[in-house]
Amino acid sequence: MEKSIVATGKSIDLAIASALEQLGMDRDSVSVEVLENAKTGFLGIGACPAKVKVTFEVPDETPVAAPAARTEPAPALSSASRKPKKQAPRLEKKPEAPQQEKKTAPKPEQKPVSVRPNREKTRRQAPEQPKAPVTYAPAKEGTMEAQVETFLKGLLAHMGSDAVPHAFRKDDDTVGVELTGENLGILIGHRGETLDAIQHLTNYAVNRGESKRTRVSIDAENYRAKREESLQRLAKKVAGKVVKYNRNMTLEPMNAYERHVIHATLQDVPNVTTFSTGVEPNRRVVVAYNRNRED
């Protein structure tokens, strides 16, 4: 069963944050429909806050059984019915003759049987060996990989991080980077915002003045793959609601890569189309109902 609340705020993000705080839920567990955009007005006149409708699912209520109907009290017995009934005389049972004990032949003594323990069950399982750490080959001097590692080591040192970058060639146009170390969550940031900023700065620094552009993709603790799976689940869940309730739904602001994941996931879903609206950094994906689109 679905329920929804309406929240307001100075902006759409603040209205969504207000609703999530009231519900005590995270953004992936709800769907948002923008009812009104915020208006500043002229000198404060005619200003109105942004209004959003946040829908969430709750478990269906189980029907409560109705109380049993009261039965009427039994009618009082008359004086005639209160008299005790005469009971028939009991017949005395004859004492039974004592049964003779049956003599049983003594059981032959059984020799103890030696049971061999099951070797398969008693065999101790060898402890699982820890997985060997992934080793990265050092980047060759003068290559793009070495240039990327040099820039990232300086950037991470300025950020006060002890993480170590390992660059490797993924294909002709892409260099992958894996950050290793402790406390990598600080470098990932909320929804990968810090990791995206590090990746953007690295791409700008290593491609400045180059005739051929090389794309640098930075990851830590396999965050990119986990985030992509989460976005795919969100897209399918929202598409199901769009088809079920025949209404459009607007997602949270996303960067270009995350919007691409949503578009690619829903491109073959019948009766659903997607498009982006707004400007960076508040550009969002709208999942819309399209009756004419069927596979």
Side-chain angles (χ1 to χ4, degrees):
M1 181 175 64
E2 287 199 344
K3 289 187 178 182
S4 60
I5 63 170
V6 177
T8 59
K10 292 183 179 181
S11 65
I12 294 177
D13 292 336
L14 292 178
I16 295 174
S18 174
L20 294 177
E21 184 177 358
Q22 296 179 39
L23 297 174
M25 304 175 72
D26 56 11
R27 181 60 183 82
D28 294 339
S29 302
V30 300
S31 57
V32 178
E33 181 180 358
V34 180
L35 301 179
E36 293 183 9
N37 292 320
K39 297 180 181 179
T40 57
F42 179 71
L43 297 179
I45 301 174
C48 65
K51 184 183 294 185
V52 298
K53 180 179 181 182
V54 178
T55 305
F56 58 97
E57 293 184 355
V58 296
D60 296 336
E61 298 180 356
T62 56
V64 180
R70 295 183 178 177
T71 57
E72 297 182 357
L77 298 176
S78 61
S79 58
S81 61
R82 291 178 184 172
K83 294 181 179 179
K85 295 181 181 180
K86 294 182 179 180
Q87 298 180 354
R90 297 181 179 178
L91 298 177
E92 295 182 0
K93 295 182 179 180
K94 294 181 179 180
E96 297 180 356
Q99 297 180 355
Q100 296 181 355
E101 295 182 357
K102 296 181 180 180
K103 295 182 179 181
T104 57
K107 295 182 180 180
E109 296 182 359
Q110 295 181 356
K111 296 181 180 180
V113 180
S114 60
V115 180
R116 294 183 179 179
N118 191 346
R119 294 182 179 178
E120 295 295 332
K121 294 183 179 180
T122 57
R123 184 179 299 171
R124 295 182 180 179
Q125 295 182 356
E128 294 182 0
Q129 298 180 356
K131 295 181 180 179
V134 180
T135 56
Y136 297 90
K140 296 181 180 180
E141 296 183 4
T143 61
M144 178 60 73
E145 296 93 303
Q147 185 178 349
V148 169
E149 286 187 359
T150 302
F151 173 80
L152 282 173
K153 286 178 182 178
L155 178 61
L156 295 173
H158 282 292
M159 296 175 65
S161 174
D162 296 331
V164 179
H166 301 280
F168 54 92
R169 177 68 65 172
K170 298 181 69 174
D171 53 47
D172 293 340
D173 300 327
T174 307
V175 172
V177 179
E178 184 70 26
L179 302 180
T180 60
E182 299 180 356
N183 299 325
L184 296 179
I186 300 175
L187 299 179
I188 296 174
H190 179 65
R191 298 192 185 278
E193 292 177 352
T194 306
L195 192 64
D196 290 339
I198 295 174
Q199 180 173 287
H200 178 75
L201 289 173
T202 306
N203 275 281
Y204 176 78
V206 300
N207 286 291
R208 184 175 54 182
E210 297 289 337
S211 58
K212 182 181 179 181
R213 180 176 178 82
T214 301
R215 179 176 176 271
V216 180
S217 176
I218 303 177
D219 198 2
E221 295 182 344
N222 203 24
Y223 170 79
R224 299 291 186 192
K226 295 177 183 177
R227 177 62 174 163
E228 184 172 342
E229 292 177 0
S230 175
L231 290 172
Q232 290 173 349
R233 290 194 301 268
L234 174 64
K236 294 176 182 178
K237 180 179 178 181
V238 172
K241 292 183 178 180
V242 167
V243 175
K244 182 178 180 180
Y245 299 107
N246 190 8
R247 67 182 182 190
N248 300 350
M249 300 186 71
T250 304
L251 303 182
E252 63 184 2
M254 298 179 183
N255 57 34
Y257 171 74
E258 293 178 339
R259 295 196 304 270
H260 170 73
V261 173
I262 299 295
H263 293 311
T265 303
L266 301 181
Q267 63 181 354
D268 296 328
V269 177
N271 299 327
V272 171
T273 186
T274 59
F275 59 90
S276 298
T277 183
V279 295
E280 299 290 355
N282 294 320
R283 193 163 177 79
R284 308 164 183 264
V285 175
V286 178
V287 183
Y289 180 75
N290 185 3
R291 183 176 309 192
N292 296 328
R293 179 182 176 184
E294 294 182 359
D295 289 350

